Amino acid sequence: MSQPASSSTSAGPVGSGARRRAGLPLPAVLAIVVLFGAVILVLDQLSKNWAVANLPLLEPQPFLGELLQLTLLYNTGAAWGMGAEITPVVTVLQMGIAAGVVVFAVKAVRSPWYAIALALILGGALGNIHDRLLREPGPFHGGVVDFLELPHWPVFNVADMGVVGGAVLVVLLGVLGVATDPGATDREDHTTEAPAPEEGEA
């Protein structure tokens, strides 16, 4: 007389994979990326416009003593002004980063935390791309508005904060073992835990 199958071989909701949180659907991921990215972009442009209208060029203005000063400059290169002679190349690289973030989000990301991280990177990249395309002296040669200065650090802006913050969050999530798509991990676990048929049963 055959015995009933053990509950441990059930593929139902009590399986360990079902206890994991399913990934977000693609529309939700894109909504997070667009929303948070837009917030970074708007804050970046508002703060840059304020700096251009209110700060003297290349004259540090104390904000939090010497810890944080406001120093307006136009950066046609990357960090510390490197690459100023190849501004179009730097601009194209930033555009490539923005496109890569969108592709990665669509193809691989279903985690809300990774979506937020990519949104920060995308919003920051778009903020600086805006400057390079639309500010003087012209498209692909425009100077990025920087105005936040810390000791022993290149002058930066809100867009830079978004890019760096998003990159740090991606690294942290990877160190903590957070999957870019929890649903994919769930599906893999269900496949691995599928019970093998028992021999000799009626």
Side-chain angles (χ1 to χ4, degrees), residues 48-143:
K48 286 174 177 175
N49 291 339
W50 175 87
V52 170
N54 294 278
L55 297 178
L57 187 64
L58 299 176
E59 294 183 16
Q61 306 295 308
F63 185 70
L64 295 177
E66 294 186 356
L67 177 62
L68 175 62
Q69 300 185 83
L70 304 179
T71 305
L72 176 65
L73 60 83
Y74 295 89
N75 183 8
T76 56
W80 282 287
M82 294 184 297
E85 68 281 359
I86 54 171
T87 304
V89 176
V90 176
T91 305
V92 171
L93 286 175
Q94 290 182 328
M95 295 173 70
I97 291 173
V101 165
V102 174
V103 171
F104 183 59
V106 170
K107 289 185 172 293
V109 172
R110 298 298 179 269
S111 159
W113 289 109
Y114 273 99
I116 292 173
L118 294 183
L120 295 176
I121 296 173
L122 180 62
L126 291 177
N128 286 337
I129 289 170
H130 171 278
D131 288 13
R132 298 196 184 277
L133 294 179
L134 299 179
R135 294 188 187 273
E136 296 296 333
F140 290 90
H141 294 273

Side-chain angles (χ1 to χ4, degrees), residues 20-36 104-119 173 178-187:
R20 293 182 175 87
R21 187 174 181 179
L24 295 176
L26 178 58
V29 171
L30 295 180
I32 291 174
V33 171
V34 170
L35 177 61
F36 282 85
F104 183 59
V106 170
K107 289 185 172 293
V109 172
R110 298 298 179 269
S111 159
W113 289 109
Y114 273 99
I116 292 173
L118 294 183
L173 292 172
V178 178
T180 58
D181 183 356
T185 304
D186 189 24
R187 290 189 295 273

